Amino acid sequence: MAVSVTRVMNDSFTVAADGSYAARLSSRGPGLWFPERWTLGGPEPYAVPLPVEQPEEADSPVLPLADGRVLIARRTGGAYCMSLLYPSGPDTGELRLGSVETGRLVLLPPAPCGTRAYALTLAQDERSTTVWLVAGGSSGGPERVAQLEGRCTGGAWLDREGRLLALDREAPDGRTAETAGPSGAAGPSSVAGGAPVKTVAVDLGRGGEVSPLLQIAEESNDRLLLADPDSGLLLVRSDAPGEDRLGWGVVGSHRPIRFPEVLHPAGTRLTPIAVQPRQTLLPECCGVALRVDAGGGTWLAVWRPGLKELRHIASPPGWLTGKGLWTAAGDLRVPYATAHDPCGLATMRAPLTEAPVPAQAPVPDPRAEPGPRAEPGPGAGAGPDAAPAPGSAQPGVHPGAAQPAPPQRPQPTARPTSPAQSPPSGPVPSPRPGSPSGPAAPAPPAVPPPAPPQRDPRTRDGDVTGLQHHGHGAPPSGRWDSVARSGVSAGGAASFGALTGSVSKPVPLQQAPLTSGTA
């Protein structure tokens, strides 16, 4: 079967935990694969090839460390051999670490510490999974750190120390993740007729102690896609609302997962690829980069909790599809490779600087005739983008009417000369009122209008983005173990082994009513 060179080069691209390096497989011809390291921390990115005597296989995973070395896992017979590659003059240095006997091995995302690398292997009977420390251990070789029941996928780090790991698990024998006991796994997703997939938290510092993390409904498939340790922002995908939808929540908050309509456009699939870091306990300030797949193609969009619309961005030519990283300053950096620029990193304009302004009630006109007051209906209190209840019709939409066309790929009016200046095709924030270009005229005296009614910030029809860490029964803290003390949502109160022995476990997200219409 022919291997797509572009797909291998895109899919193998991985960025180090601190954003200083990246690695991928590259090719100089049919079957001539070799690892390639990108240096991203300097003024200009550049690539260094790391070939060895024999070409690599197209399915050999690579992972960069923060010190510039690149881990590669080579499949040899019934085992995977681990090596660290690094530049050594004109040649490539290689440090062999040992092997793991398995038919399939999946490297986890880079650990936040930047010095260790982990992998998952699935047992032959597909009923258990092992977590391996394959680089950075005290023994110098692969070490088994946890044995978990069930089949697991994904992988997201929940703390900056690289101890708490979230995995999506399908428990064996039809049991849920909560009742399966301390065990978890890597491999394919749930199969038809199997147990639902639930996200669990694995404490690698306690031999793989497992706690439930994400449980939205009893039979729903709930997966964690991205997690930001600083803000506590979680991006999940679940079929609990009745169909597969993208949602968000906050660790440490009692509010349930939200599934806003802005993240469910018709005919389009959104996949989160990066979250803005270093926004300590401020999930509403985190920019989220999304891959948009629609009938018109694939491009970029940005969003943050509370925004009622996506901000679409024209991706640069040669974009490594589905890849990107945020800086703490809020810059979205997108890797690309073309024939003229085989190692590029474009800084995209992300129009998320203006905070969302809550809508205010109009000032009543005293001259207007008093009209009949509308009685609140049974659906009163739902947000403007609330999802309709199953079987109900939307206002202005008749059964059988055509759905809105999926968003088209943004087309900038002129191609920028530098990818770093690629303009967004989404809406640009308008100038703030009160900033005229000429001298300001004296304001005429006027009677101030009556103040608009204040909205209760706890209502679901308002903007809840600024309330994630208020009124949850515990003072805010910058560490996940402290945030976990207040629980992650309503329901459950199991203890959780965090970074210190006296810390409680997070309450699973969540066994509470679904709210699909709040931002």
Side-chain angles (χ1 to χ4, degrees), residues 153-459:
T153 56
W157 295 100
L158 302 178
D159 64 331
R160 285 290 173 190
E161 288 75 16
R163 173 172 170 175
L164 298 179
L165 173 66
L167 295 172
D168 302 329
R169 179 170 71 169
E170 179 195 355
D173 301 329
R175 292 178 291 172
T176 64
E178 185 174 8
T179 61
S183 297
S189 59
S190 65
V191 296
V197 177
K198 303 293 181 183
T199 301
V200 297
V202 183
D203 190 342
L204 301 181
R206 293 187 174 181
E209 180 179 314
V210 176
S211 297
L213 180 67
L214 185 63
Q215 298 187 60
I216 300 178
E218 185 70 22
E219 298 298 328
S220 62
N221 294 294
D222 312 319
R223 294 177 173 87
L224 178 62
L225 304 183
L226 283 180
D228 179 59
D230 302 312
S231 64
L233 179 64
L234 303 178
L235 292 163
V236 307
R237 194 181 298 279
S238 174
D239 57 8
E243 56 183 331
D244 205 38
R245 296 188 65 156
L246 185 63
W248 70 281
V250 180
V251 167
S253 172
H254 293 294
R255 295 180 178 273
I257 295 290
R258 275 143 285 187
F259 298 91
E261 288 299 313
V262 67
L263 297 181
H264 190 61
T268 305
R269 183 174 180 85
L270 302 179
T271 305
I273 60 177
V275 178
Q276 183 181 354
R278 305 299 179 185
Q279 306 299 308
T280 304
L281 293 181
L282 294 174
E284 68 275 8
C285 295
C286 287
V288 179
L290 300 159
R291 169 179 171 167
V292 183
D293 291 286
T298 301
W299 63 91
L300 279 164
V302 292
W303 171 82
R304 71 177 175 197
L307 287 184
K308 303 298 183 182
E309 61 182 6
L310 297 177
R311 308 291 174 85
H312 297 276
I313 299 178
S315 54
W319 174 40
L320 301 185
T321 307
K323 307 298 179 180
L325 62 150
W326 285 92
T327 66
D331 294 328
L332 177 59
R333 309 181 77 186
V334 178
Y336 67 94
T338 63
H340 299 289
D341 194 356
C343 176
L345 193 65
T347 301
M348 313 297 292
R349 179 188 173 197
L352 294 176
T353 55
E354 294 294 333
V357 179
Q360 296 186 357
V363 178
D365 187 353
R367 298 170 297 178
E369 291 289 338
R373 177 174 298 179
E375 294 296 333
D385 55 356
S392 63
Q394 303 182 46
V397 179
H398 301 281
Q403 295 297 318
Q408 299 299 315
R409 177 168 186 154
Q411 296 294 335
T413 55
R415 174 68 64 183
T417 57
S418 170
Q421 303 298 325
S422 179
S425 59
V428 178
S430 58
R432 293 184 179 181
S435 56
S437 57
V447 178
Q454 298 296 321
R455 176 179 302 183
D456 186 350
R458 292 167 293 182
T459 57

Side-chain angles (χ1 to χ4, degrees), residues 77 255 267 287 399 473 480 507 518:
R255 295 180 178 273
W480 277 62
V507 182
T518 56

